[in-house]
Amino acid sequence: MRKTLDNLPSRSSPLSLSMRWSNFQRRYAPYIFVSPFFILFLVFGLYPSLFSLYMSFQSWTPSDGWGRWKYVGLDNYTFTLTDPMFWRSMWNTIWLGVVSGVPQHLIAIPLAFVIHMMLGRFKTFVTAVYFLPYITSSVAIALIFNTLFATHNGVINLVIAHLNTWPLLGALLPDQNINWFTSANVKYAIALVVIWQFTGWNVLLYLSALQAIPKDLYEAAAVDGASRVQQFRYITLPLLRPMMFFAVSLTIIGNMQLFEQPFVLLNGGASTATPGGQTVTMYMYRTAFEWLEMGTAASIAWILFIFIGILTYLNNLIFGRAARGVD
Amino acid sequence: MKQALFLAFLMLFSLGLTQRTTLTVAVFPNLDDALKAQLALFNKKYPNVEVKLVIQQYADHHNALTTALATGQGLPDVAAIEIGFVGRFAEGQGFEDLNKPPYNAGQYKRLFTPYTIAQATSFDGRFIAMPVDIGPGTFFYRVDILQKAGVDPRNMLTWPGYIAAGRRIKATTGAFLIADAADVAWINIFATTPANTSPYFDEKGNVIVDTPRFVRAFELAKNIRAAGLDARIGAWTNEWYDAFKKGTVATQFSGAWLQGHLQNWMAPETKGLWRVQHLPEGMYASWGGSFYGIPTASRNKALAWELIKYITTTNEAQIAAFRAIGAFPALLSAQNDPAFSEPVEFLGGQQARLLWRDAARRVRPLKANKYDRVAYEIVGTALSQVLDEGKDIPAALAEAKRLIERRMR
């Protein structure tokens, strides 16, 4: 770098304007071209993150105005980590993460395999259909499910009531309308919405991974007399591992940050079912914007960040190593 | 000559420029409809003031206001504040203290329904917003359902009588007594608060959510739930509106404003089927209300104050809001308007406004506490644990007390 700079004519030497311009371009244009990302990242990524880290050591009520904060050390962290409401929402989040996360993959992998193997020209159409929920607004989805889950005239309860009249199945089902919006039941409602919304996304991920598996492996297996199930078990699953690692990581991160679906289903936290369905991010939102405890909310964000980091690391231990082993 | 004309024109033009001021007012629906009606009158008096409305949904409005207060940026000149937020904003430093000059709002305080003044006053005595409308709590009931069940609404004026009537209504008509048993607990908590304290804190700021007041309120709700008399429907959901439309719920406790909502959009087809009476056991409570305050960062404070004074202290403005959306005036003199003795057709011609006025004047003044909102949500959680999860009442309230105390750091 030094050398190129030395080779350039010094500033004082008489240079034509166009030469100077082209020198300037050569030297700085690349920086200008890459700058939008860095500017956006600094403004909307790094700055808020660092600010929230700073805020997590302060006590601040935003309605007091800018700058009226007070250093409190680790108080916010000790408060949050000993807060029963935080732990309840953490438990809700983990419960939802597992109950809505695991089925997504258990459904998506075989489904992707079936779509990949069988459907031929309908593949694109079917994939698009499964993907549709993913790109639909979460708020719209939650509003629709709110209507479907309604206690007295919701379609889901009407279906259950109808199934009740069937001989064998009826015995297994409750004979009264289920109130989905009680503290105990609302978790299942939220999990169902999340599974419905994100399974298609995982199908797409697994499909793309399946397409990368060489066809001749299957052909060779078929020649050796392996059945479809055996092919799935011994070829597809092991080769899907890297994608499983990636997809499960995304699910962990997404589910730990679950917000819109419970927020809208619980009427923004105004519902009486709130304690049973409140996730960590909802709790953080309420701490910040309803109780105006910005410092505490920032500490919740950082605790959640660390927690997601640990889970991703564990996931890496389980899937990641195996994935690398196969590679 | 030409030059003189041009100069004169220029002078007039610049005069117009300097005099024409824009005032921004942030407001939420449907208070904006009331405000628009009031602005038409205000502009007759102040033709050179252009009022720009920033309208956002209820939650967004208060979030935006909080963010703007935090950064001191993007604040309106006048901000509408709903009762749920006024206590918190009062405890912050973001609004002008209207007690002080040049506002000297002290002289207007006696013009308003007394309890509203306490609501907008901080613990250290600052008065941050002028009340514009109030929500005296009332007992709405479906006269057709009660008649079918052979229930006299007067027998529902004690809580045991209310529950007994509920059993009869459920048995004879199949209708639920109330949408959510929790409402009975809340109205009991609010209405039994001693004067000049917060519902959840005594005058020294101690948490009192485990006192007999709360135990009784929780017990009543639990009894109603246990008897299967509530439809377990949350407020402001489609099912709630549907229950009012179809008449699957016989009664509802709410602010007077519920009549406007029922009539305008929730269940207009039930016109004539509703009636109101006072709450059971001589209880009176405030259920909602709105205020206008001036953010400290406002650039047009003098004019902002003129506008607020106009919409809150003049009869014509208050009546305009009342006619537009049924917003019940906070201004006492406006409550003497002849419109108040007019029969309300939606309520089968009942002179309901006189009843609400009576209720409003009997509501005890409550004091806002910085932690009211936290306490409200924690008690709400305790209530749903009792109702939905079968938690023991004293245990739930003791836990709530502990959780609130933890937050008061």
Side-chain angles (χ1 to χ4, degrees):
Chain A
M1 199 60 195
R2 260 280 122 209
K3 261 189 186 149
T4 19
L5 281 176
D6 289 342
N7 291 342
L8 285 167
S10 73
R11 267 168 188 249
S12 52
S13 69
L15 262 179
S16 75
L17 206 63
S18 68
M19 271 182 81
R20 274 200 211 172
W21 173 237
S22 82
N23 276 338
F24 172 81
Q25 275 190 323
R26 206 173 313 147
R27 241 195 267 172
Y28 297 110
Y31 295 106
I32 293 171
F33 281 120
V34 296
S35 65
F37 166 76
F38 287 99
I39 292 170
L40 289 175
F41 175 70
L42 283 175
V43 173
F44 296 107
L46 195 64
Y47 171 72
S49 307
L50 292 179
F51 185 71
S52 80
L53 185 63
Y54 172 75
M55 192 47 65
S56 69
F57 298 105
Q58 314 282 332
S59 163
W60 182 47
T61 306
S63 57
D64 281 352
W66 187 252
R68 291 174 192 253
W69 41 68
K70 197 175 91 210
Y71 178 75
V72 292
L74 286 171
D75 268 16
N76 289 324
Y77 287 92
T78 49
F79 178 83
T80 301
L81 289 173
T82 53
D83 182 13
M85 292 163 91
F86 169 76
W87 286 112
R88 178 157 189 174
S89 62
M90 188 55 115
W91 162 245
N92 291 340
T93 310
I94 294 170
W95 191 97
L96 279 170
V98 173
V99 174
S100 73
V102 174
Q104 279 179 40
H105 297 271
L106 293 184
I107 298 168
I109 295 173
L111 195 62
F113 186 68
V114 168
I115 293 173
H116 180 66
M117 297 306 275
M118 296 175 181
L119 282 160
R121 73 169 79 167
F122 293 110
K123 205 187 276 181
T124 331
F125 174 73
V126 173
T127 315
V129 168
Y130 278 110
F131 191 62
L132 208 58
Y134 180 75
I135 51 167
T136 310
S137 141
S138 299
V139 174
I141 289 169
L143 283 174
I144 288 167
F145 272 90
N146 234 328
T147 313
L148 296 179
F149 279 121
T151 313
H152 300 288
N153 46 18
V155 173
I156 293 173
N157 273 338
L158 292 181
V159 169
I160 292 175
H162 180 73
L163 292 180
N164 235 321
T165 58
W166 290 20
L168 268 171
L169 199 63
L172 297 169
L173 290 166
D175 53 357
Q176 271 191 331
N177 279 350
I178 299 172
N179 187 334
W180 293 98
F181 296 102
T182 64
S183 218
N185 291 345
V186 77
K187 278 198 193 88
Y188 296 94
I190 298 169
L192 209 69
V193 175
V194 174
I195 293 169
W196 177 82
Q197 191 175 3
F198 292 102
T199 301
W201 160 252
N202 287 307
V203 167
L204 196 78
L205 288 181
Y206 289 121
L207 255 180
S208 68
L210 285 171
Q211 275 155 5
I213 297 174
K215 279 229 162 55
D216 36 355
L217 285 177
Y218 291 107
E219 281 160 13
V223 169
D224 290 344
S227 69
R228 273 279 156 89
V229 177
Q230 282 172 321
Q231 288 176 25
F232 179 75
R233 169 76 185 78
Y234 294 105
I235 300 172
T236 316
L237 274 186
L239 290 179
L240 270 184
R241 271 218 173 108
M243 186 51 90
M244 281 184 202
F245 169 59
F246 176 65
V248 171
S249 297
L250 286 185
T251 303
I252 289 174
I253 295 169
N255 281 357
M256 290 308 292
Q257 298 184 29
L258 207 58
F259 181 79
E260 300 113 281
Q261 295 85 355
F263 188 77
V264 182
L265 279 176
L266 293 169
N267 212 353
S271 144
T272 49
T274 304
Q278 177 166 264
T279 60
V280 174
T281 45
M282 260 183 89
Y283 181 58
M284 180 170 78
Y285 169 84
R286 297 174 92 193
T287 308
F289 291 99
E290 294 195 354
W291 304 338
L292 306 183
E293 296 172 27
M294 287 292 164
T296 312
S299 77
I300 296 173
W302 280 91
I303 291 168
L304 183 64
F305 171 73
I306 292 164
F307 199 77
I308 292 175
I310 294 170
L311 284 183
T312 315
Y313 176 74
L314 290 177
N315 180 36
N316 188 24
L317 279 187
I318 299 164
F319 278 105
R321 278 207 186 140
R324 275 193 299 277
V326 171
D327 282 347
Chain B
M1 183 60 196
K2 249 186 180 173
Q3 218 168 10
L5 256 175
F6 178 72
L7 270 176
F9 176 75
L10 199 74
M11 266 175 70
L12 272 174
F13 185 71
S14 59
L15 209 68
L17 269 185
T18 49
Q19 284 199 340
R20 187 143 188 97
T21 327
T22 310
L23 205 58
T24 47
V25 182
V27 66
F28 49 87
N30 56 355
L31 193 63
D32 59 327
D33 291 327
L35 187 59
K36 279 174 202 155
Q38 293 166 326
L39 286 178
L41 299 169
F42 178 74
N43 275 331
K44 276 185 200 157
K45 212 173 155 194
Y46 296 89
N48 278 324
V49 181
E50 192 195 338
V51 178
K52 211 181 101 200
L53 297 186
V54 183
I55 305 163
Q56 296 191 76
Q57 287 303 315
Y58 173 78
D60 297 335
H61 166 83
H62 290 98
N63 274 351
L65 207 53
T66 306
T67 317
L69 284 169
T71 55
Q73 300 292 316
L75 279 163
D77 296 310
V78 175
I81 310 169
E82 210 265 345
I83 179 74
F85 289 80
V86 75
R88 279 179 289 166
F89 289 152
E91 293 310 321
Q93 305 292 330
F95 282 93
E96 291 284 290
D97 180 3
L98 303 176
N99 283 327
K100 291 194 180 133
Y103 314 108
N104 301 315
Q107 57 184 309
Y108 303 109
K109 285 180 181 172
R110 60 186 171 77
L111 303 178
F112 295 105
T113 306
Y115 69 83
T116 59
I117 302 297
Q119 286 171 333
T121 304
S122 72
F123 227 68
D124 57 5
R126 284 174 302 112
F127 178 58
I128 62 119
M130 295 275 272
V132 62
D133 63 45
I134 57 175
T138 40
F139 180 158
F140 285 79
Y141 62 90
R142 282 282 295 256
V143 71
D144 54 332
I145 300 175
L146 262 58
Q147 271 168 4
K148 214 158 127 197
V151 168
D152 183 348
R154 279 172 298 183
N155 292 337
M156 296 176 97
L157 287 173
T158 64
W159 291 114
Y162 177 72
I163 296 174
R167 288 182 197 275
R168 185 158 179 169
I169 290 167
K170 185 81 194 290
T172 50
T173 68
F176 290 102
L177 177 60
I178 190 166
D180 190 348
D183 286 356
V184 172
W186 283 118
I187 198 92
N188 270 278
I189 290 167
F190 292 137
T192 56
T193 307
N196 294 313
T197 65
S198 142
Y200 322 95
F201 304 92
D202 66 12
E203 60 282 352
K204 289 189 192 112
N206 299 317
V207 185
I208 49 166
V209 301
D210 56 348
T211 51
R213 264 177 61 213
F214 282 81
V215 176
R216 168 123 207 268
F218 272 47
E219 272 169 357
L220 284 170
K222 195 179 175 179
N223 290 343
I224 291 171
R225 171 65 53 90
L229 298 180
D230 75 324
R232 301 168 152 223
I233 298 172
W236 310 108
T237 58
N238 284 331
E239 253 193 318
W240 202 52
Y241 313 144
D242 206 51
F244 291 148
K245 270 185 205 148
K246 292 191 179 143
T248 50
V249 160
T251 71
Q252 180 66 40
F253 299 107
S254 173
W257 42 258
L258 184 65
Q259 181 250 317
H261 286 300
L262 285 170
Q263 177 181 324
N264 292 339
W265 57 278
M266 274 184 195
E269 57 272 51
T270 59
K271 183 180 168 184
L273 300 179
W274 292 91
R275 298 286 184 280
V276 290
Q277 63 181 357
H278 279 310
L279 299 176
E281 299 184 357
M283 290 184 174
Y284 298 96
S286 146
W287 205 292
S290 320
F291 300 79
Y292 283 106
I294 305 174
T296 315
S298 159
R299 272 184 230 117
N300 291 310
K301 286 177 195 162
L303 201 56
W305 177 236
E306 285 305 315
L307 176 68
I308 291 181
K309 234 173 25 182
Y310 181 78
I311 53 186
T312 58
T313 65
T314 59
N315 279 344
E316 46 169 0
Q318 289 267 295
I319 296 298
F322 181 59
R323 292 209 180 273
I325 62 162
F328 202 86
L331 189 70
L332 290 169
S333 58
Q335 296 173 4
N336 292 327
D337 190 88
F340 277 79
S341 41
E342 283 171 17
V344 181
E345 272 185 58
F346 188 79
L347 302 172
Q350 203 184 352
Q351 286 181 310
R353 289 157 187 167
L354 297 178
L355 182 99
W356 291 329
R357 183 171 78 191
D358 184 39
R361 292 185 178 174
R362 289 167 190 250
V363 174
R364 285 187 289 252
L366 302 187
K367 202 138 205 154
N369 185 295
K370 188 177 170 183
Y371 295 103
D372 275 352
R373 183 84 181 178
V374 170
Y376 167 74
E377 296 204 14
I378 291 175
V379 171
T381 300
L383 185 56
S384 61
Q385 284 173 336
V386 166
L387 295 180
D388 296 334
E389 299 168 23
K391 196 166 173 177
D392 179 48
I393 292 174
L397 287 173
E399 165 87 352
K401 183 181 180 187
R402 203 167 60 80
L403 288 175
I404 298 166
E405 281 171 344
R406 286 192 86 244
R407 294 239 153 221
M408 299 167 66
R409 290 175 291 164

